[in-house]
Amino acid sequence: LAELLGGRIEVKSQPGVGSTFSITVPIRGPANDDSPTGRSLVLFIDDDENMRYIVRRMIGRTYDLHEAPDGPTGLAMARELSPHTILLDLSMPTMPGEEVLTKLQTDRCTAAIPVVILTSSQSISERDIRSHPNVRTIIDKQNLTSERLQALLDDMTERPKRKTISACPGEDGSDHTASSMRG
């Protein structure tokens, strides 16, 4: 876990004296700032703060990662940010991931955004994926590695970045037109 978080574990031992174990983990905030980074934007929707931290450590330097702690916040952020990819947990208390998927799929502003399911839940199957055309794959959180997530996102963001114009109505029904970089 220390290496996964970008840190290390050290051991110093002297016979007859004892051993000292130390762990070093870098303390850095997420790469979420308002300045354009030129990196593909990824939205991670998960109520588990620890999991968001782990994913932030895995991809936060490579991608412009934004985080939502629940489904309603994630849906609003998806409309506002128009991310290249959404990472989504299925087991959330406020709004289950399946409901988030359905709302993403039925909203013209978010229907084309690819979704990767990151979950420890076994409640979704390959058959369920076919009913949600924006879902690209499912990754069990227990099998999640930095290399696997990086490779998947690298493949999904391989196409050249292009400028897109989004003219989706805001929550209040008003029309917001925004430019964003999208991979």
Side-chain angles (χ1 to χ4, degrees):
L1 185 57
E3 289 175 0
L4 178 68
L5 298 173
R8 66 182 183 281
I9 297 176
E10 296 177 348
V11 178
K12 293 180 183 176
S13 185
Q14 293 181 335
V17 176
S19 301
T20 303
F21 296 84
S22 61
I23 181 171
T24 305
V25 181
I27 300 175
R28 288 185 206 102
N32 295 346
D33 55 32
D34 293 333
S35 63
T37 63
R39 299 177 292 175
S40 295
L41 195 146
V42 175
L43 174 60
F44 184 28
I45 306 171
D46 193 327
D47 64 311
D48 183 346
E49 186 176 337
N50 294 324
M51 192 64 200
R52 290 194 317 267
Y53 177 79
I54 289 170
V55 168
R56 183 182 324 131
R57 301 299 307 154
M58 287 180 170
I59 66 170
R61 292 181 183 164
T62 309
Y63 294 92
D64 187 8
L65 181 66
H66 292 254
E67 303 169 19
D70 56 49
T73 304
L75 289 169
M77 289 176 73
R79 286 181 61 86
E80 177 187 335
L81 299 172
S82 188
H84 183 273
T85 304
I86 295 174
L87 304 175
L88 176 65
D89 180 32
L90 293 181
S91 302
M92 294 184 290
T94 308
M95 178 185 291
E98 290 90 346
E99 186 177 344
V100 174
L101 275 174
T102 300
K103 289 181 184 266
L104 286 168
Q105 184 179 349
T106 57
D107 185 330
R108 70 178 174 87
C109 297
T110 59
I113 301 171
V115 175
V116 174
I117 303 295
L118 286 182
T119 191
S120 54
S121 170
Q122 301 302 320
S123 68
I124 194 164
S125 68
E126 293 296 325
R127 185 178 60 83
D128 295 330
I129 287 178
R130 286 186 222 115
S131 69
H132 295 285
N134 52 342
V135 174
R136 299 301 184 260
T137 191
I138 301 171
I139 299 177
D140 187 323
K141 287 180 180 179
Q142 292 180 347
N143 298 324
L144 182 65
T145 64
S146 181
E147 294 79 18
R148 184 175 183 193
L149 186 56
Q150 279 290 160
L152 177 66
L153 291 173
D154 288 349
D155 287 345
M156 292 177 71
T157 61
E158 191 172 83
R159 60 185 185 258
K161 292 186 181 354
R162 65 187 185 279
K163 195 131 184 152
T164 59
I165 304 293
S166 172
C168 294
E171 296 289 328
D172 58 1
S174 61
D175 209 21
H176 299 284
T177 303
S179 284
S180 64
M181 291 302 286
R182 210 163 152 198

